[in-house]
Amino acid sequence: MSDRILGGMGLLLAIFFIWQATLIQESFISDPVGPKTFPIIIGVLVAVSSLAILFKPDDEPEWPDFSRLFEVGLTVAVMIAYAYALPVAGFVVSTAVTAGYLSWRLGTPPLKAVIAGVAISVGIYVIFHLVLGLSLARGPWGF
Amino acid sequence: MDTLSALAHGFSIALTFENLGLALIGCFLGTIIGALPGLGPSNGVAILIPLAFTLGLPATPALILLTSVYYGAMYGGRISSILLNIPGDEPALMTTLDGYPMAKKGMAGEALALSGIASFVGAFFATWGLVFLAPQLVKVALLFGPAEYFALFALAFATLGGIASKNQAKAALAAGLGLGIAMIGVDGQTGVPRFSFGEVHLYDGIDFLVAIVGLFALSEVFIFLEHRGTEKATGDASGVKLGRLTPPMSMLKQTTPTMARSTVLGFLAGVLPGAGASLGSFISYSVEKRLVDKEGTFGTGDPRGVAAPEAGNNAAAGGALVPMLALGVPGSGTTAVLLAMLLALNITPGPLLFTNNPDVVWGLIAALFIGNLMLLVMNIPMVSLFVRVLLVPPRYLMPAVAMISFVGIYGISGSTFDLLVMVLFGVLGWILRKLEVPLVPVILGVLLGNQMEANLRRAMTISDGDWSTLVASPLSIGLWLFAFFGFILPIVGGRFFRPKLPRMASEADPD
């Protein structure tokens, strides 16, 4: 079933991709091939392989149960929040929170996870910023 | 003799204090990356690229650092295979078959030392192979026009699923996805935006480094999250006794012919497009098993069963550099990532690399010889140090990996948008891995898509729109035929080549 969904999604994507390719504006000077042809070829490739997957699916993969899927989803949300928090709260604080959360969800007891988060964050800050001179996001407190 | 004097020149470049230091760091980091389950050569190198890039390393030192990591990871993978029965990376999978039984018999030290020597032999001779074969391939590649290049790219994609591929449709879908992603952004020839939906951030296209780090490194974090608390996520090396760290002479003598054969096979597997180190170690092991396993001792801790896959995968790692450097078309996951590094530094690999940037090529090759020697020293007397690293549990390691990935990408652009795209690619990578869609063709598509299109359009411009130009020379016809059979062969005969591996292999990080 999963593979049939993959094939179906691939097919929809291919159709959307080809449709978008036909909408590309041609400029007044163009080479014989133009900017549309190659994307359309790719779209056809995706469509054909999607059809093959749709009609001849592999065995079902082992999907995790719902709670684990939810867990993965929550982690994605945390990472997205991290991306937005970086320029606002600065590197050290946002990284400590995110790394601590990840460590906790991977099975570290809460208190140790907090310590791990701070250690990872400060460790990266020291090695990459203070020693190697990489510029990291600066928060309101300068770190 | 040209080659040898070029190589001597390479040594004069590599033997600077800075480059030696970088090679040492690279070998050390690489061994750790290879040894840790969950971090393999491709995602290890992927994480380090943005860092090397933002630290402002010039091309040669950056390449020395990263290829040392690549070679190091090939050494390191065996450590956890032997001690924990968990392959540190995919190519080390075959090493578990005889390595772990040896460790259980109390010969862990011997197994580690022997596999270290086998790794050295494989890598050493493969690097010599690289020295002599790459310039020959360059001579052929100089005959290539745009049409031939277009066929060559098609060949790379057609064979990338590999001879052991289970489902060619999925490999093709993956390549299509990657190529499609590469199309996003302003068209290089006419200047019109494509697939950017008015979003300014997309005009530049998707940065391939963002895609690579997301697909390879972040997806690994999700895999670990999913398997938390299960056997796969934990390893325990504390109970293992190392024993003596030198293999007896008789064992070396017994395994010498095995190493020799495996090195040749592994190198050939590496040079062929679409076959990385995993195939090298698999072929070496199975051929040895068929040739010398008369008493049925393979699988029960036979030293030859440890030497064969290790010599094979290290030789293949060297072999895979040949098409990457000489043609600009990588044959495996990690070499694809190394190609990304070169492109990020504005160096186009291929035949012209050898004439335009001989310093880069020969400095790199010389560094490989030096790094290999360093690795031998590191991996035999100092192996217990790396064993201790294995004790770091993934619940501390993976958050650090994730955060370093973010640091690297943020360091390049300082843009939140890129981080979001990276997370998106992480999720995509996780889903694709679950569905057993290979990731390497996606990466290669993102990397080579624009060049492939440019070559097609250049060829068509020269022929003034005549499509038959694509099959006008014997060289391009040959490449198309090779591509066709490379794609069809696994469908017809894949069953005979496919490694019979446990399911977890498909989720392991590619080489």
Side-chain angles (χ1 to χ4, degrees):
Chain A
M1 195 55 212
S2 300
D3 267 10
R4 291 193 197 275
I5 295 174
L6 174 71
M9 296 288 281
L11 199 59
L12 287 179
L13 184 73
I15 292 168
F16 176 74
F17 194 79
I18 293 174
W19 173 59
Q20 281 292 322
T22 57
L23 296 183
I24 294 171
Q25 295 251 317
E26 301 257 10
S27 96
F28 56 95
I29 311 175
S30 188
D31 50 315
V33 175
K36 291 178 183 178
T37 316
F38 193 63
I40 292 174
I41 297 174
I42 296 169
V44 172
L45 171 73
V46 173
V48 171
S49 46
S50 297
L51 280 175
I53 295 169
L54 191 66
F55 287 112
K56 210 166 158 287
D58 288 340
D59 300 335
E60 188 71 5
E62 289 167 47
W63 287 104
D65 54 31
F66 180 75
S67 63
R68 283 292 163 88
L69 277 182
F70 183 71
E71 180 106 41
V72 172
L74 210 60
T75 306
V76 172
V78 169
M79 285 179 174
I80 290 172
Y82 174 68
Y84 281 110
L86 257 183
V88 184
F91 175 81
V92 175
V93 176
S94 23
T95 305
V97 173
T98 313
Y101 173 83
L102 282 176
S103 177
W104 175 49
R105 292 326 301 162
L106 284 165
T108 316
L111 188 66
K112 276 190 177 171
V114 173
I115 299 171
V118 173
I120 288 171
S121 173
V122 172
I124 293 178
Y125 187 79
V126 169
I127 296 175
F128 290 108
H129 184 70
L130 299 183
V131 178
L132 296 176
L134 203 69
S135 64
L136 300 172
R138 285 167 74 95
W141 311 283
F143 55 80
Chain B
M1 284 323 280
D2 277 1
T3 315
L4 288 183
S5 63
L7 185 62
H9 176 62
F11 270 100
S12 71
I13 295 163
L15 285 170
T16 65
F17 188 68
E18 188 200 10
N19 288 345
L20 284 178
L22 284 170
L24 190 66
I25 295 172
C27 292
F28 184 77
L29 281 177
T31 310
I32 292 180
I33 286 169
L36 290 167
L39 267 183
S42 52
N43 45 27
V45 176
I47 296 172
L48 289 175
I49 285 182
L51 293 174
F53 192 53
T54 37
L55 289 174
L57 288 179
T60 313
L63 207 58
I64 287 176
L65 175 71
L66 291 171
T67 40
S68 302
V69 172
Y70 174 45
Y71 264 36
M74 291 293 161
Y75 271 80
R78 77 197 207 283
I79 300 176
S80 50
S81 298
I82 290 172
L83 296 180
L84 306 176
N85 203 20
I86 302 171
D89 46 31
E90 201 187 323
L93 196 66
M94 306 309 287
T95 315
T96 57
L97 299 180
D98 275 285
Y100 186 63
M102 260 183 100
K104 268 169 106 184
K105 282 198 264 178
M107 293 160 76
E110 281 104 321
L112 283 173
L114 176 66
S115 55
I117 291 170
S119 298
F120 176 79
V121 171
F124 181 74
F125 287 103
T127 313
W128 276 114
L130 169 66
V131 167
F132 290 109
L133 190 58
Q136 301 309 315
L137 204 55
V138 164
K139 281 182 198 151
V140 179
L142 283 172
L143 304 172
F144 281 24
E148 283 80 10
Y149 265 107
F150 183 69
L152 180 69
F153 287 132
L155 165 68
F157 285 111
T159 53
L160 204 62
I163 210 154
S165 161
K166 263 198 223 149
N167 190 337
Q168 287 292 68
K170 285 186 175 173
L173 177 73
L177 274 180
L179 289 169
I181 292 166
M183 292 301 108
I184 296 173
V186 172
D187 170 35
Q189 301 205 9
T190 53
V192 293
R194 297 192 287 183
F195 307 103
S196 42
F197 311 104
E199 172 73 58
V200 182
H201 290 295
L202 288 178
Y203 276 33
D204 273 349
I206 303 266
D207 187 342
F208 45 75
L209 292 178
V210 176
I212 288 174
V213 176
L215 282 176
F216 281 159
L218 271 197
S219 67
E220 196 67 45
V221 177
F222 295 131
I223 294 266
F224 267 88
L225 210 62
E226 182 199 336
H227 291 285
R228 178 197 61 190
T230 57
E231 244 176 282
K232 208 194 141 186
T234 50
D236 181 20
S238 49
V240 183
K241 291 256 180 322
L242 281 184
R244 56 181 285 180
L245 282 173
T246 44
M249 275 316 281
S250 61
M251 192 188 274
L252 280 180
K253 221 179 213 165
Q254 186 199 7
T255 51
T256 304
T258 299
M259 286 188 209
R261 281 189 295 263
S262 304
T263 301
V264 175
L265 279 174
F267 181 72
L268 291 177
V271 172
L272 287 177
S278 308
L279 190 74
S281 69
F282 169 71
I283 286 187
S284 305
Y285 186 86
S286 13
V287 167
E288 275 312 299
K289 192 172 174 177
R290 233 164 261 173
L291 276 182
V292 298
D293 186 23
K294 303 246 159 44
E295 296 91 32
T297 48
F298 269 51
T300 60
D302 190 314
R304 288 170 301 185
V306 176
E310 279 307 312
N313 84 32
N314 283 271
L321 287 172
V322 175
M324 197 276 272
L325 289 174
L327 302 175
V329 176
S332 70
T334 316
T335 43
V337 179
L338 287 171
L339 175 68
M341 172 79 212
L342 285 175
L343 294 178
L345 289 165
N346 261 333
I347 292 175
T348 314
L352 292 179
L353 180 67
F354 282 72
T355 43
N356 293 352
N357 300 72
D359 285 9
V360 174
V361 181
W362 294 105
L364 166 69
I365 293 175
L368 289 178
F369 280 112
I370 299 166
N372 201 23
L373 214 59
M374 289 177 178
L375 281 164
L376 183 69
V377 176
M378 260 185 217
N379 274 276
I380 294 185
M382 288 164 60
V383 75
S384 50
L385 184 75
F386 295 106
V387 173
R388 222 156 287 150
V389 176
L390 278 182
L391 298 174
V392 178
R395 61 175 194 269
Y396 297 126
L397 178 75
M398 292 325 280
V401 169
M403 292 348 283
I404 293 175
S405 313
F406 276 101
V407 168
I409 294 302
Y410 195 79
I412 293 178
S413 62
S415 116
T416 300
F417 182 79
D418 278 355
L419 294 183
L420 295 176
V421 174
M422 179 175 80
V423 174
L424 193 74
F425 272 104
V427 177
L428 181 72
W430 178 67
I431 295 172
L432 291 180
R433 274 185 182 192
K434 293 302 290 180
L435 293 168
E436 296 192 323
V437 178
L439 293 182
V440 177
V442 183
I443 294 294
L444 207 63
V446 176
L447 278 177
L448 298 181
N450 291 317
Q451 283 185 52
M452 188 173 179
E453 188 191 14
N455 276 299
L456 171 68
R457 286 164 74 171
R458 214 169 289 152
M460 297 301 283
T461 307
I462 294 169
S463 75
D464 203 20
D466 179 9
W467 286 86
S468 67
T469 183
L470 294 179
V471 287
S473 78
L475 206 55
S476 55
I477 294 175
L479 288 168
W480 282 111
L481 281 178
F482 194 178
F484 176 75
F485 286 111
F487 189 76
I488 295 297
L489 196 65
I491 299 175
V492 184
R495 260 174 300 136
F496 305 108
F497 294 103
R498 193 173 305 141
K500 289 174 187 57
L501 302 174
R503 186 177 170 83
M504 61 185 276
S506 61
E507 277 180 22
D509 35 277
D511 58 286

